[in-house]
Structure formats: structure tokens, C-alpha cells
Amino acid sequence: MEITLAQPAGLVVSPAFSHVAVVPPGATTIYVGGQNGVDATGAIVSADAGEQSARAVENARTALESAGAGLDDVISWTVLIHQDADLRVAYGAVAAKLTREGAPPLVTAAIVQGLGVPGALIEVSAVAAVIRG
């Protein structure tokens, strides 16, 4: 039994993302809700998009670890970047952290007009899958 990430023939091949994830029956799926660049009190860590991005991924890592998973177990990321953020800085700060061993995860990214946390420039969510045995 294994989790499969694929780049099917006929679709663009990218080192940054796959197109399909197949999680077999019996695997544990872990969903991480939107994480912003905030500290443990909920305060924005910085006005800098890169610092917020790095913290948002670290917050996702903390959530994953609480469920017995890690960043390498993520099969799908959603990245929302505020329209006022410098896209290259915001995405550049997290792009390398979104990769994993083997095939890359699925990635959905969007530039949005606003986020639910005032002052937030990025929000990430993740789906991870692990085979426990």
C-alpha cells in the first residue's frame, strides 16, 4: 500500500507540483486548516510577506506534527496570497518548504483580495496522508 502522486501524460510536467494524489484505503488523511503568519497569541509576526509566509508554513508543520505527520507527508497545499503582498517574496519564502521527498505535492495558489485575519498577507492549508503500520 502506498500513497501515489502523479503527473499524468498529457499534462504539464513540473518539478514544483503534481496533478493527482491517490490515497489508498486504510491510510490516515490529515487536514490542516488555513494557517497565517501569526504567533501563538494570534498576532501577525511581521508586516513582511516573507516572514509571514515562513511562519504560516511553520504553523502548518506544528499542526501536522500534532497529528503524527510532517511536511513530507503533505499531498496537497493551498496557498492564498493577499493582492498587496509581493508575490515573489511571499511565494519565494515558502516554495522550497512545499516540496517533499519523491514526487511533488499538489499545489493550488491564488492571489486574493483579502484574508480573514487583519494584516495577514498569506494563508496556507494542507492535506497530508500517512500509512500507519
Side-chain angles (χ1 to χ4, degrees):
M1 174 169 46
E2 71 180 47
I3 297 161
T4 305
L5 293 161
Q7 296 175 329
L11 297 177
V12 65
V13 175
S14 171
F17 59 87
S18 292
H19 296 282
V20 177
V22 180
V23 178
T28 300
T29 307
I30 301 152
Y31 300 89
V32 177
Q35 299 296 310
N36 301 106
V38 298
D39 64 20
T41 70
I44 297 289
V45 295
S46 169
D48 178 74
E51 289 180 38
Q52 282 194 34
S53 296
R55 182 58 182 258
V57 172
E58 287 308 310
N59 289 346
R61 179 194 313 267
T62 299
L64 288 162
E65 289 175 352
S66 76
L71 293 180
D72 280 350
D73 297 311
V74 173
I75 59 170
S76 181
W77 286 100
T78 300
V79 182
L80 305 176
I81 301 171
H82 192 283
Q83 67 185 5
D84 293 340
D86 182 321
L87 178 61
R88 290 183 185 178
V89 170
Y91 197 77
V94 299
K97 294 180 179 189
L98 303 185
T99 62
R100 61 192 301 278
E101 290 292 318
L106 287 63
V107 177
T108 300
I111 297 172
V112 298
Q113 189 173 24
L115 294 165
V117 175
L121 298 174
I122 189 163
E123 185 166 322
V124 300
S125 63
V127 177
V130 295
I131 297 174
R132 304 198 197 269

